[in-house]
Amino acid sequence: QVQLVESGGGSVQTGGSLRLSCAVSRYVDIKSMGWFRQASGKEREGVAAIVSDGSTAYADSVKGRFIISKDNAKHTLYLQMNSLKPEDSAMYYCAADFRRMTAIQALGVIVIGTGVNLYWGQGTQVTVSS
């Protein structure tokens, strides 16, 4: 079992910034991590992923605005979100996977669904007002 606890969501105005955090248990066993979001009535969308060698991948919709990072000492995953837009409003989830893969692969894998290797947190709400 892996426990993931997100924090840092909230409400901001267009152009504002937020930093999401995700505390990850069994961090040393995790090879791939990422963030995905789901807005009401919409499908899950992989936002950003990072793998064990530090490689990252981003959805086109957030490139240049969001930065994913991890702190190995704190066992924590982060998502720095800048220049936020109303269309970024969604529930944001962190995901962790035991499998080694490329960051681009992880971006797609993290939205498929939980299982033996992939775990999700409970989510944190981000609301961006115009």
Side-chain angles (χ1 to χ4, degrees):
Q1 283 286 346
V2 177
Q3 305 296 323
L4 301 105
V5 180
E6 300 101 333
S7 61
S11 297
V12 295
Q13 292 188 327
T14 297
S17 297
L18 284 172
R19 188 176 81 155
L20 306 183
S21 300
C22 176
V24 182
S25 70
R26 297 190 60 184
Y27 185 92
V28 294
D29 297 320
I30 299 300
K31 301 297 187 292
S32 308
M33 295 185 288
W35 294 90
F36 69 92
R37 63 189 180 187
Q38 188 166 25
S40 180
K42 295 189 177 181
E43 293 186 353
R44 291 187 290 262
E45 177 189 17
V47 173
I50 187 167
V51 295
S52 53
D53 69 358
S55 300
T56 59
Y58 296 91
D60 287 343
S61 57
V62 306
K63 277 182 183 176
R65 299 189 298 123
F66 290 12
I67 301 171
I68 188 170
S69 63
K70 57 189 176 89
D71 187 324
N72 294 334
K74 295 183 177 179
H75 296 186
T76 301
L77 178 70
Y78 300 100
L79 185 68
Q80 178 67 44
M81 304 186 295
N82 302 318
S83 302
L84 283 161
K85 306 174 182 179
E87 52 263 43
D88 294 318
S89 297
M91 186 72 81
Y92 282 71
Y93 300 85
C94 68
D97 199 302
F98 290 115
R99 294 168 293 186
R100 196 179 302 275
M101 62 189 80
T102 68
I104 293 177
Q105 289 172 328
L107 198 59
V109 165
I110 60 174
V111 301
I112 293 177
T114 57
V116 175
N117 293 301
L118 176 61
Y119 295 83
W120 292 348
Q122 294 301 306
T124 185
Q125 180 68 40
V126 171
T127 303
V128 185
S129 58
S130 57

